[in-house]
Amino acid sequence: QIGLRIRMSCDPQPEMPEGYLGPQERFNELGLSVQSHTDPVITARDNHYEIKMKHRGPIKVTHQLQSCKDEKDYSEFVFTQIKDGVVQLLLHFPSPGWYKLQIYALPLSDPSKSLPNVYNYLIHCTKTLNPCFPFPKQYVQWKDGCYLYEPLNLCESTKLTHLENKGGPVFEGTCNLNQYRGKDKKVTLNANFGEDESKYSTMLEYHIK
């Protein structure tokens, strides 16, 4: 006589179509390679998470994050940026569960607005230990080599201002945004590239709730 004790998962891994997970057709062609997570199925024991990939040559990258439960889009909870040959994806998961992270890329010189899918992750978030905020919306020119150190979101303790050049390509500044708290306002980061001093391009958009 053999006794068996089996623990069934209350949140089993969802089935994905064959060939969906991992690298897609143009992944290697674009000079991309995984750095932080070689397995496309990930268990995230915290709802603040980071994934890194390496790349060769200038590229542009975007993403889509969806809940497997109801296909709801959570792409605003992912922030993608590139620095020193590394693609960094910062993720905030609003609640525990399974999520699909789809990554899209093209060479920076390619004028196409439609980026092909190059890699797919399936992520299981098991705990939500930290507050979850959407990241600022990224505009096209921001993805052309810009990098955000801080703030990654505008919570009640965050201040932002007119930015001053601190040497090289780094700009910093602070301003008081308390008057906009609770008023569902937007704050944008704008830049002038020197062609016309009266024109500023929107680079990032924060949402203050």
Side-chain angles (χ1 to χ4, degrees):
Q1 184 177 0
I2 300 175
L4 294 176
R5 185 181 182 186
I6 302 175
R7 181 173 181 261
M8 301 296 292
S9 172
C10 60
D11 194 8
Q13 178 177 327
E15 293 185 7
M16 295 289 111
E18 184 178 354
Y20 171 80
L21 292 175
Q24 303 301 299
E25 184 177 354
R26 298 195 62 182
F27 185 75
N28 293 326
E29 175 191 333
L30 292 171
L32 289 162
S33 60
V34 293
Q35 180 179 15
S36 61
H37 297 79
T38 57
D39 190 338
V41 180
I42 298 172
T43 298
R45 294 180 174 84
D46 192 350
N47 62 320
H48 286 190
Y49 210 72
E50 180 181 34
I51 293 174
K52 290 183 178 181
M53 290 183 167
K54 295 180 181 179
H55 74 93
R56 298 193 308 271
I59 60 169
K60 50 187 175 182
V61 180
T62 188
H63 59 265
Q64 184 177 30
L65 181 68
Q66 286 183 313
S67 168
C68 294
K69 182 179 180 180
D70 53 12
E71 297 296 319
K72 185 175 179 180
D73 187 88
Y74 288 102
S75 297
E76 64 180 348
F77 292 93
V78 183
F79 194 81
T80 304
Q81 53 188 2
I82 300 172
K83 183 183 179 185
D84 299 332
V86 175
V87 179
Q88 178 191 45
L89 296 105
L90 301 173
L91 301 96
H92 285 183
F93 299 107
S95 59
W98 288 93
Y99 293 84
K100 294 184 294 184
L101 175 64
Q102 300 169 156
I103 301 170
Y104 305 83
L106 267 180
L108 190 60
S109 59
D110 193 317
S112 175
K113 295 182 180 180
S114 178
L115 280 64
N117 180 214
V118 295
Y119 201 96
N120 296 318
Y121 281 103
L122 181 63
I123 306 173
H124 188 206
C125 175
T126 60
K127 297 178 181 179
T128 51
L129 302 175
N130 298 293
C132 184
F133 301 102
F135 291 103
K137 180 180 178 180
Q138 296 171 282
Y139 286 79
V140 174
Q141 285 183 291
W142 174 264
K143 297 183 179 183
D144 188 7
C146 297
Y147 189 89
L148 179 66
Y149 290 94
E150 60 180 9
L152 291 172
N153 56 68
L154 294 180
C155 58
E156 62 182 3
S157 61
T158 303
K159 296 180 180 181
L160 189 67
T161 68
H162 297 289
L163 304 181
E164 297 180 5
N165 189 285
K166 297 297 183 179
V170 178
F171 291 79
E172 295 180 4
T174 56
C175 75
N176 194 329
L177 298 176
N178 289 332
Q179 59 182 313
Y180 304 112
R181 304 297 176 191
K183 297 182 179 179
D184 199 26
K185 298 291 185 178
K186 294 180 180 179
V187 174
T188 61
L189 172 66
N190 305 285
N192 177 275
F193 292 93
E195 297 177 359
D196 185 337
E197 292 184 359
S198 65
K199 293 183 179 180
Y200 284 76
S201 300
T202 301
M203 309 290 283
L204 291 175
E205 181 181 283
Y206 294 88
H207 195 192
I208 306 178
K209 297 182 178 181

